[in-house]
Amino acid sequence: MLSHQLLRNHAGIVLIGDYGTLRLLNEVVRDVNERSPLVRDKEGAFLVLAHDARKAYEQQREIIQPPEHFEEIGVRYGVAILWPVLLPQQRMLRESLAWIDHGKKHQAITYALEAVIEEALREDFGSREPAVTEAWQRLDPAHLGFFERLHTRGALFCSWTKSQRRQLLPSLLWSFHPLFGVGAGAYPFGPNEQVTPEDLAAWEGYEWPDPKL
């Protein structure tokens, strides 16, 4: 079973699971990464989700002891993932299943990941959750260069304050679209809550700042 803990400052979540669940996530993501025609860079950002799951169950990230008096829950393992990384990864996983033969274990772990994300978004963003969820669900990994756009968007996100992340994450997700910035009124955000091409260009070639987790 997957669960989560929120990171500080609307940064993302610690994705938590037992050994078997995280190993299944690793196996499914690796399989999808290898066979999906949507994944063009087989060593890219989507595969990082499998690496993160493996690092977690190999006890190289967070080790979460069971609560006092509830030892039957057992030890669980977690890994921190930022929102602008996890949300595109999940969309790649979900959309890829439409293109490849897959079994019930693929659907089971995909639904489990989606359920954790939905719960975490409601908890983290409150009244802003519908806007974040709409932008997340509209991410289309079939577009060329989908994950290549992650570098500048991740860097910009890490540079933001807590309040900026809450307000601007939907616009940041919309900016993954290849027509981002083309034409007035293309995105449903006002002038004070809009990520611009200039914002992203300023982070081209720069490392991501400390996200202050």
Side-chain angles (χ1 to χ4, degrees), residues 96-109:
S96 289
L97 294 186
W99 293 84
I100 61 174
D101 292 333
H102 61 275
K104 289 182 173 60
K105 70 177 184 179
H106 293 76
Q107 289 287 349
I109 199 66

Side-chain angles (χ1 to χ4, degrees), residues 14-196:
V14 177
L15 182 64
I16 300 169
D18 57 66
Y19 179 92
T21 303
L22 290 169
R23 183 155 187 167
L24 177 59
L25 178 61
N26 171 270
E27 292 174 357
V28 166
V29 171
R30 284 186 175 277
D31 179 53
V32 171
N33 183 77
E34 181 65 27
R35 296 193 293 125
S36 171
L38 301 184
V39 182
R40 296 173 178 88
D41 180 0
K42 300 301 182 180
E43 299 295 329
F46 178 59
L47 186 61
V48 171
L49 180 57
H51 291 322
D52 281 342
R54 178 174 59 82
K55 291 293 186 182
Y57 72 71
E58 288 181 345
Q59 304 181 46
Q60 298 183 46
R61 295 295 184 266
E62 304 284 339
I63 300 176
I64 301 160
Q65 300 296 330
E68 189 176 2
H69 307 304
F70 290 93
E71 290 81 5
E72 63 272 18
I73 292 176
V75 177
R76 295 167 296 154
Y77 311 100
V79 60
I81 311 179
L82 300 177
W83 283 128
V85 177
L86 180 60
L87 298 180
Q89 288 172 330
Q90 182 280 328
R91 290 298 296 156
M92 178 62 82
L93 177 59
R94 168 54 69 193
E95 292 300 307
S96 289
L97 294 186
W99 293 84
I100 61 174
D101 292 333
H102 61 275
K104 289 182 173 60
K105 70 177 184 179
H106 293 76
Q107 289 287 349
I109 199 66
T110 301
Y111 276 118
L113 182 60
E114 289 170 354
V116 164
I117 290 173
E118 288 174 353
E119 181 180 8
L121 287 176
R122 287 193 295 270
E123 183 180 348
D124 203 13
F125 289 94
S127 62
R128 290 291 291 163
E129 176 270 325
V132 177
T133 295
E134 180 184 6
W136 162 43
Q137 293 296 327
R138 288 179 178 270
L139 287 171
D140 187 353
H143 290 304
L144 287 172
F146 178 72
F147 274 117
E148 284 80 351
R149 298 180 180 90
L150 178 58
H151 182 79
T152 53
R153 284 141 184 87
L156 178 60
F157 179 84
C158 289
S159 76
W160 282 343
T161 64
K162 179 179 180 179
S163 62
Q164 285 175 313
R165 290 172 184 170
R166 175 180 169 82
Q167 191 67 22
L168 293 173
L169 180 57
S171 182
L172 187 76
L173 296 174
W174 278 93
S175 77
F176 277 86
H177 194 282
L179 295 181
F180 168 67
V182 177
Y187 297 93
F189 304 102
N192 295 325
E193 50 186 36
Q194 179 70 58
V195 172
T196 68

